[in-house]
């Protein structure tokens, strides 16, 4: 039976649409891989090097690649993503992506994504001066498996507004917003993010020793710290106009032990 004229028209229209469809951007391709890595992990021998913040020893071994938590909306706003020449990692073909900040002096990144599995096999973070801050790389890739529990990477609605009430006068580094709550060993801690880089903001009863990537300022009877892979001068400027420190407005975002002392 010969196809009808209507059927041929639909077929040709479909072919034309397929040929003219816009291919995914480098940003979209990378975000697809990073999103999948929140649900899947590659098992194998992994080498992790952390130069900032300093660790002793700086190199350790693991059985899988630590995930990169990104916030897509912020990443699109603050970074340019470019696909580079393909490379091999752990004996597997990867497509390489560079992430360059659009503004400020934030760290840049490179991510090696497995062509078949569509998840990262390696990544590195470099400071604004080009020095290595962190690198994680699979030396052998045994298998791709589903994580026991998916990793969540969601901005907490209302947190930026609460932070502005808790620390009036705080001037966040360019591109960074309050993204979530981190570990709190020495005080109330929030994570600031520009999409991929993280700066820790801590409200604590004590100050912290001055060092590269660390700023601390006394506000009233307490202290506020900023710790991250940014120029120390930028961090100090962010804290310079803080008028008071009151963790009260952050109470709904913190565990009961922190919000109700």
């Amino acid at each position: 039976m010969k196809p009808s004229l209507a059927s041929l028209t639909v077929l040709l229209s479909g072919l034309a649409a397929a040929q003219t469809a816009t291919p995914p951007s480098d940003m979209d391709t990378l975000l697809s891989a990073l999103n999948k890595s929140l649900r899947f992990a590659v098992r194998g021998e992994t080498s992790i090097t952390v130069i900032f913040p300093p660790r002793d020893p700086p190199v350790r071994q693991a059985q899988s690649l630590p995930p990169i938590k990104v916030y897509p909306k912020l990443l699109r706003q603050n970074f340019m993503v470019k696909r580079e020449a393909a490379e091999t990692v752990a004996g597997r073909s990867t497509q390489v992506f560079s992430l360059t900040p659009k503004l400020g002096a934030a760290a840049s990144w490179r991510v090696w994504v497995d062509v078949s599995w569509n998840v990262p096999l390696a990544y590195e973070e470099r400071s604004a001066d080009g020095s290595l801050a962190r690198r994680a790389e699979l030396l052998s890739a045994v298998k791709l498996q589903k994580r026991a529990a998916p990793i969540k990477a969601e901005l907490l609605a209302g947190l930026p507004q609460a932070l502005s009430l808790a620390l009036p006068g705080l001037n966040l580094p360019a591109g960074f917003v309050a993204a979530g709550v981190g570990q709190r060993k020495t005080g109330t801690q929030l994570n600031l993010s520009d999409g991929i880089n993280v700066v820790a903001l801590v409200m604590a009863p004590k100050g912290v020793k001055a060092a590269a990537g660390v700023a601390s300022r006394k506000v009233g009877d307490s202290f506020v710290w900023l710790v991250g892979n940014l120029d120390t001068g930028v961090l100090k400027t962010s804290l310079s106009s803080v008028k008071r420190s009151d963790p009260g407005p952050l109470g709904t975002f913190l565990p009961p032990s922190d919000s109700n002392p």
Side-chain angles (χ1 to χ4, degrees), residues 84-90 92-97 111-116 119-122:
E84 300 181 351
E87 296 183 14
T88 300
V89 175
R92 297 181 62 87
S93 298
T94 70
Q95 49 188 349
V96 186
F97 297 89
V111 182
W112 287 256
V113 174
D114 188 283
V115 171
S116 176
V119 292
L121 297 185

Side-chain angles (χ1 to χ4, degrees), residues 57 61 124 153:
Q61 304 297 313
E124 68 177 23

Side-chain angles (χ1 to χ4, degrees), residues 107-109 123-127 131-135 197 229:
S108 59
W109 288 69
Y123 58 80
E124 68 177 23
E125 171 191 352
R126 290 189 176 272
S127 304
S131 60
L132 180 67
R134 179 167 46 142
R135 179 177 173 85
N197 293 304
N229 187 13

